């Protein structure tokens, strides 16, 4: 829990720069993310904590981002990588995961569908890990300008050296994102 509070305080300290804060909850999990602008890219800092299993995942990343029009719809996306530090079950791992994220606003309205996926194979998964991935989908609504509420589903999984696959988190969540 201290880690999540630290992440939120760190995000708040950068409030003078353009970015966003994203917080979501499930029955057992809290996740906080901060996105900051770095020219044509976004840097990210995030943390996830599962209270039931005491598993946690921290990440720092850099994504080349942009948006485009597709018909009368808007698409936002990014490609890049994240470095994850994960403590799960009886192991710790550090992983360099590559991937991306995508948000589609049909009709350029206030409703959006989003997805993301980041994967680290064995060659870039260190310590007690063999593989790691973080995937998710969500549906969101812009309630007021630059403030979104959403529901989603995610799976964050680590495969350890003993070939055991352990979920840091798997399931639904609700959350909000505020851009500033």
């Amino acid at each position: 829990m201290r880690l999540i509070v630290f992440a939120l305080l760190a995000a708040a300290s950068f409030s003078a720069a353009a970015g966003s804060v994203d917080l979501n909850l499930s029955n057992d999990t809290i996740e906080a993310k901060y996105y900051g602008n770095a020219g044509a890219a976004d840097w990210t800092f995030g943390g996830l904590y599962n209270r039931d299993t005491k598993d946690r995942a921290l990440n720092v990343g850099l994504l080349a981002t942009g948006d485009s029009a597709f018909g009368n719809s808007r698409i936002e996306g990014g490609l890049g990588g994240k470095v994850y530090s994960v403590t799960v079950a009886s192991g710790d791992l550090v992983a360099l995961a590559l991937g991306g994220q995508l948000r589609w606003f049909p009709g350029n309205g206030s409703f959006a569908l989003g997805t993301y996926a980041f994967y680290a194979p064995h060659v870039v998964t260190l310590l007690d890990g063999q593989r790691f991935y973080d995937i998710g989908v969500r549906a969101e609504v812009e309630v007021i300008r630059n403030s979104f509420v959403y529901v989603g589903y995610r799976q964050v999984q680590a495969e350890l050296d003993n070939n055991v696959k352990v979920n840091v988190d798997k399931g639904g969540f609700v959350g909000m994102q505020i851009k500033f």
Side-chain angles (χ1 to χ4, degrees), residues 134-153:
D134 180 3
I135 60 173
V137 296
R138 72 190 208 184
E140 55 191 81
V141 175
E142 187 173 25
V143 180
I144 57 174
R145 184 177 170 95
N146 295 322
S147 298
F148 299 84
V149 294
Y150 58 85
V151 296
Y153 182 87

Side-chain angles (χ1 to χ4, degrees), residues 110-144:
S110 60
F111 174 77
L113 295 172
T115 186
Y116 66 91
F118 290 90
Y119 174 72
H122 179 64
V123 69
V124 290
T125 305
L126 309 171
L127 303 177
D128 302 322
Q130 288 288 320
R131 282 173 208 61
F132 174 80
Y133 69 85
D134 180 3
I135 60 173
V137 296
R138 72 190 208 184
E140 55 191 81
V141 175
E142 187 173 25
V143 180
I144 57 174

